[in-house]
Amino acid sequence: MGQHHDHAHDHGDHDHGHDHEHAGHRHGPSHVHAPASFGRAFAIGIALNTGFVLIEGAYGFLTDSVALLADAGHNLSDVLGLVVAWAAATLGQRRPTARFTYGLRSSSILAALFNAVFLLVAVGAIAWEAVQRFQEPAPVPGLTVTIVALIGIAVNGVTAWLFASGRKGDLNIRGAYLHMLADAAVSAGVVVAGLVILWTGWTWVDPLTSLVIVAVIVAGTWGLLRDSVVLSLDAVPPGIDPADVRRCLAERPGVTEVHDLHVWPMSTTETALTAHLVMPEGHPGNAFLNDCAATLRGRFGIAHVTLQVELAGGPACALAPDHVV
């Protein structure tokens, strides 16, 4: 089996592109931007949302509006969600240690899971409040609600835009993006409700709008929850077909069998692979291993590859059966 060495990477706002090669092991850069590049987006988003929470909370107290106070509490949860996502992105850049040999990269998976669960809990609270409002309609200050909600659209919309470029490559960034986009939708719904209430005086429009928004948020968040749970269980990341990966390795020159193949996420942006290759002609040399690593990175985005070469005819590998882990 090839030697494995810990490699410390000090990422700044970009990936330096280090490649490290040893017998049987190659560690290349991820195919997406490092999460640290969103540090400025997190800082701006947290500052904007904190300011909006203070403004909305103050107007809620001044107008005695439960709706504004509830939305201020919801936006406060957004600040917490952004802080968690930023902390995870920062922790993911920590150097590996003797105990945490992959560093703390997987904290980004935990953050994505936290954001999904927290967002679903938050919309559950909104839905409960909406149902209560149907039973006991309350007067709503339509003009104030509309103006404050318009500010909310701007704040949440700008924050979501800051994370838009990373939402497809990083589940943690996607969690932050969806959180902000959901709140922009909430604010837009509140604006519509406020205008309708101003024109008609129908107070039931407020809870009805809330329930529609809740349905939209749940539909958008369900995928984030599913993907983050799957990644936290070390499943093969979405977009990678294990059968294609096995076939790719089996087609390498000199390989007669592939077993003990594992593909799992090191973080929301990085994927690792280990596999045993049976090669009757013996160890093919570093050039073969380098080519395998480059192919896996190019075709599947797998940047951390460890391969064990075995000879045919010797003692059977204890890990060869598919059911053995």
Side-chain angles (χ1 to χ4, degrees):
M1 183 171 181
Q3 274 189 309
H4 176 84
H5 295 270
D6 285 343
H7 301 294
H9 299 279
D10 187 12
H11 298 288
D13 284 352
H14 61 282
D15 195 319
H16 297 289
H18 296 159
D19 281 354
H20 300 278
E21 300 163 21
H22 296 276
H25 174 77
R26 177 183 176 110
H27 183 189
S30 172
H31 62 292
V32 296
H33 297 296
S37 63
F38 287 91
R40 186 162 173 253
F42 279 118
I44 294 173
I46 290 170
L48 285 175
N49 279 272
T50 300
F52 180 58
V53 166
L54 294 175
I55 292 171
E56 190 171 36
Y59 272 99
F61 279 115
L62 290 173
T63 61
D64 198 25
S65 169
V66 179
L68 286 180
L69 287 174
D71 196 43
H74 177 60
N75 281 290
L76 187 60
S77 76
D78 301 337
V79 175
L80 177 60
L82 286 176
V83 169
V84 169
W86 192 9
T90 303
L91 288 174
Q93 307 305 308
R94 296 285 292 274
R95 293 174 179 269
T97 66
R99 185 171 182 80
F100 297 98
T101 56
Y102 283 131
L104 297 175
R105 286 172 167 79
S106 60
S107 58
S108 60
I109 298 173
L110 295 178
L113 179 59
F114 173 86
N115 251 332
V117 172
F118 201 76
L119 190 54
L120 288 175
V121 171
V123 297
I126 294 173
W128 179 259
E129 175 65 22
V131 171
Q132 296 294 103
R133 285 296 179 92
F134 272 122
Q135 297 172 349
E136 299 176 11
V140 180
L143 182 60
T144 302
V145 169
T146 301
I147 294 173
V148 175
L150 283 171
I151 299 173
I153 292 176
V155 169
N156 292 307
V158 167
T159 307
W161 174 76
L162 291 172
F163 295 109
S165 64
R167 70 185 187 279
K168 293 182 179 178
D170 185 344
L171 196 65
N172 185 35
I173 300 300
R174 181 179 154 203
Y177 170 78
L178 285 177
H179 213 141
M180 294 300 102
L181 202 62
D183 287 335
V186 170
S187 296
V190 173
V191 167
V192 173
L195 290 175
V196 171
I197 291 168
L198 272 176
W199 291 332
T200 65
W202 297 340
T203 55
W204 54 265
V205 170
D206 183 44
L208 178 63
T209 304
S210 298
L211 289 178
V212 172
I213 293 169
V214 163
V216 172
I217 294 174
V218 169
T221 305
W222 192 253
L224 175 66
L225 178 64
R226 181 191 64 240
D227 290 346
S228 56
V229 168
V230 165
L231 292 186
S232 68
L233 294 174
D234 284 343
V236 178
I240 298 179
D241 186 342
D244 286 346
V245 175
R246 182 181 292 273
R247 193 176 305 114
C248 175
L249 289 172
E251 291 172 351
R252 298 294 96 188
V255 176
T256 59
E257 182 191 337
V258 177
H259 60 261
D260 197 37
L261 173 64
H262 296 280
V263 182
W264 73 97
M266 295 167 58
S267 71
T268 51
T269 61
E270 298 169 288
T271 304
L273 173 149
T274 59
H276 293 197
L277 307 181
V278 177
M279 306 187 72
E281 301 301 319
H283 197 291
N286 285 358
F288 170 86
L289 299 171
N290 295 343
D291 179 66
C292 283
T295 300
L296 290 169
R297 186 173 64 249
R299 285 182 58 179
F300 306 103
I302 301 173
H304 191 109
V305 175
T306 304
L307 300 172
Q308 175 171 313
V309 175
E310 298 173 355
L311 300 178
C317 177
L319 297 174
D322 287 338
H323 69 277
V324 177
V325 177

